[in-house]
Amino acid sequence: MTYRLHSLWKLEKLVRPSVNTKSSPNNNIKWISHHIPKTAGSSLRSSFQNAVGKTKVFGVYANTGANELSQGTPIWAPAKTVFLHGHFRPHASHSDFYPKARRLVWVRDPIERIWSLIGHLLSEGKSHPHHKVIEELYLSNGVTTKDEIVYDLIANNRSKALTHVYQRFFSQIPISDFAFVGSVHRYDESIKELSQLLKIDLGKEFRNVRNNSGAVIPNEVLSLKNKLSTEYAIVAPYL
């Protein structure tokens, strides 16, 4: 199904290559769903696809326009798209391109998100673009354990791209401007709230969600919350 869908989209793009701009907006897109890494975004995308059909959910990632959309540049999207979902940051111009769309996002405790992210990078290895950061900072220097890497990243502020994602993400559009903010820690409750808002049954999906409630983060890492005070200030009311 996925291969056939991508083939159909490639064909559609050849026939209809134009992008949506302020002068030619897309009124069919109703939701702009932002996937912050390690906040159950893969599960959410699956829920959308199951609820409305895969043809109506367009994934916006590195190869489909995530960088462009993050910078406020128009991208191509299939005509049937109702949900834009992916790793791109909110930008004021999105309201011009998609005037009928509302923004939604999910968040997670900052330390738990970093803990899960580093576990994911170590698991994925060099196939992940962000693996290079921990390779240069730690792995090449003999530091290989998740505990040591996460502790040092936070304690010594080694890479804001990995540890201060909320500051960067909400720099253009504040979190208070989102129509919906879900919490990984209240997943079932948030899914019900979002289902009511969308007027569709999203069900429940749990895909690629690391560090569930049974996982243990070392106390030495948990003690570093003060190092991420600006991150917690942004998302704490929603967790």
Side-chain angles (χ1 to χ4, degrees):
M1 173 62 183
T2 300
Y3 176 79
R4 185 165 69 245
L5 182 59
H6 288 171
S7 297
L8 288 172
W9 282 345
K10 285 181 180 179
L11 179 60
E12 181 184 343
K13 191 172 183 179
L14 287 174
V15 176
R16 185 187 58 80
S18 60
V19 300
N20 297 115
T21 62
K22 186 174 183 178
S23 59
S24 180
N26 186 326
N27 291 312
N28 293 327
I29 294 174
K30 298 299 187 291
W31 289 94
I32 301 174
S33 174
H34 298 274
H35 178 187
I36 297 174
K38 310 319 296 176
T39 59
S42 298
S43 300
L44 188 60
R45 182 180 178 184
S46 294
S47 293
F48 290 156
Q49 291 175 334
N50 291 339
V52 301
K54 291 185 177 181
T55 60
K56 295 183 179 180
V57 182
F58 186 60
V60 184
Y61 294 97
N63 61 342
T64 52
N67 288 336
E68 291 83 354
L69 211 53
S70 293
Q71 296 167 9
T73 302
I75 67 166
W76 181 88
K80 292 184 179 180
T81 301
V82 174
F83 289 89
L84 286 178
H85 176 82
H87 289 316
F88 59 96
R89 297 190 303 278
H91 194 283
S93 66
H94 297 168
S95 297
D96 295 329
F97 308 154
Y98 318 111
K100 302 292 185 181
R102 301 170 75 186
R103 299 183 181 91
L104 68 89
V105 70
W106 285 60
V107 294
R108 187 176 193 172
D109 176 90
I111 284 181
E112 183 174 314
R113 192 201 68 82
I114 297 167
W115 179 261
S116 181
L117 175 63
I118 298 306
H120 180 62
L121 296 181
L122 290 172
S123 175
E124 291 293 300
K126 294 182 179 180
S127 64
H128 196 290
H130 288 159
H131 183 270
K132 184 178 180 180
V133 177
I134 62 172
E135 171 69 35
E136 293 179 350
L137 287 174
Y138 302 108
L139 304 182
S140 63
N141 294 309
V143 180
T144 60
T145 67
K146 185 177 177 180
D147 296 22
E148 290 179 289
I149 292 173
V150 174
Y151 183 89
D152 187 70
L153 268 175
I154 299 173
N156 296 302
N157 196 23
R158 298 291 188 191
S159 173
K160 283 195 171 184
L162 298 181
T163 60
H164 289 70
V165 66
Y166 295 130
Q167 278 184 273
R168 184 184 182 204
F169 186 87
F170 295 109
S171 62
Q172 290 277 333
I173 306 295
I175 194 171
S176 57
D177 282 5
F178 279 67
F180 177 83
V181 180
S183 169
V184 170
H185 310 287
R186 297 183 294 105
Y187 192 88
D188 289 2
E189 180 185 341
S190 291
I191 280 290
K192 289 179 181 178
E193 292 174 0
L194 185 54
S195 293
Q196 292 173 354
L197 181 62
L198 300 177
K199 295 182 173 59
I200 57 177
D201 182 10
L202 292 174
K204 289 191 297 184
E205 288 280 343
F206 292 92
R207 295 174 181 266
N208 197 28
V209 181
R210 294 178 184 271
N211 192 47
N212 57 29
S213 58
V216 177
I217 301 176
N219 288 331
E220 302 81 51
V221 174
L222 293 175
S223 69
L224 297 174
K225 283 190 175 183
N226 64 312
K227 295 288 186 177
L228 297 170
S229 58
T230 51
E231 291 286 281
Y232 278 98
I234 294 169
V235 301
Y238 303 91
L239 298 179

